[in-house]
Amino acid sequence: MAVIEAVNIKFRYSRKSPYVLNNFNLSVDHGEIVGIIGPNGSGKTTALKILSRTIRPEHGKIKIMGRNIAEMRQKEIAKIIGVVPQGTTVAFPFTAREIVLMGRSPHLGFWQMEQEHDLKVADNVMALTDSLEIADRRIDELSGGEQQRIIIARALAQEPKIMLLDEPTAYLDINHQVEIFDLIKRLNSERELTVVIVSHDLNMASEYCDRLVLMRNGQVYKEGPPKQVITEANIREVYDINTVISDNIITGAPHIIPISKLMYKKYQRHNLKVHVVCGGGSGTRLMRWLAIEGFQVSVGVLNISDSDYKIARSLEMETITEMPFSHISDEAYFMNLEQIHKADVVILTRVPIGIGNLKNMFAIRSAQSSGATVIVPDNFDGMDYTGGQATEIYNEIVDDGAIIARDESEIQNILMSLDNESY
């Protein structure tokens, strides 16, 4: 059941300014953790303010727990929605407990003082947020992580069913970031709290959120489980940056590695054109180095599901591909042969060779016969899964004058030396 519904929301801060939200739509189910992500100016914080009725939309409707928020009193809203705003500062030196007790105001009458029940609620939420032991300390004496736990405790003291958090880990170190996100996840689990969280940290959002909403220009560009939203294509389109997306080896959540524009080969140019024969992650570090150094690089043949394929594609390298789990077809082989004959240097990484990718060895042999410089590992141990056929080709390549390299560092030195000779 949807506990938050935003339908066709339009908002601008003045009639002369452009719309910050333009037909923004969002639906959040009970017990979900939904992350709103997007670049600066995409409307994330404004959307959160609209959902809590801190500001009112010019057009559209918000429903909270099935009720039109425009028809609700602010105290009613505050009993349902707890808000943790971005960069909260407290002007006066209140104690942590006094700050938390401020969250009880929706439950108190005008000028009514807190009762025993309110004190118990405050102590309970401070215990829940691991902040009870700092209850009597002044807020300005606390660390950033401790202050943020107190602000979350204040929102929890409202006894809400929904929490809206705007950049709750901004300016915190990695330890405190994990601490805050762990707390949010625990509250969601133990209290069945519905959570909507705005975050610039895409990796944290991917790790902890059930669903992500990617915003661009005041609208929802893409929403769904993290793996459907955090893709190289989506991030490139919305953030205008190339990335490598891999799975967290512990949790399986998508993990983003941004690629600086300084790594693009258009910033530097080397005379040598290099073709890399790799697979299974054996070429990852080498391809990154080649991109940073500005070499002209092609790669192949790689299966589309291969981890090296993902790196090559993200680095915008020309890549000859084959379908996942398929043997190299004649079509892919001849395309690779055409590419490999354009290369000055062909590099074979420590990639296992089986019947499925044996044609890559034939392509290397062909390039060598046409005059290309070939660099191969110093031994073929553990790489041959063809019953000896790949080893025979490797030995022929070595006997025909291939340069032998012990590791990637030596490959780099060889390439730089060859490139200097080409000038």
Side-chain angles (χ1 to χ4, degrees), residues 349-361:
T349 65
R350 292 190 180 276
V351 55
I353 302 294
I355 297 301
N357 63 345
L358 181 62
K359 286 180 179 178
N360 279 339
M361 296 295 289

Side-chain angles (χ1 to χ4, degrees), residues 329-364:
S329 64
D330 288 341
E331 181 183 5
Y333 169 71
F334 286 115
M335 288 176 65
N336 195 43
L337 206 58
E338 181 180 348
Q339 197 62 240
I340 212 168
H341 278 285
K342 296 176 184 177
D344 302 300
V345 180
V346 179
I347 302 172
L348 173 66
T349 65
R350 292 190 180 276
V351 55
I353 302 294
I355 297 301
N357 63 345
L358 181 62
K359 286 180 179 178
N360 279 339
M361 296 295 289
F362 291 127
I364 294 172

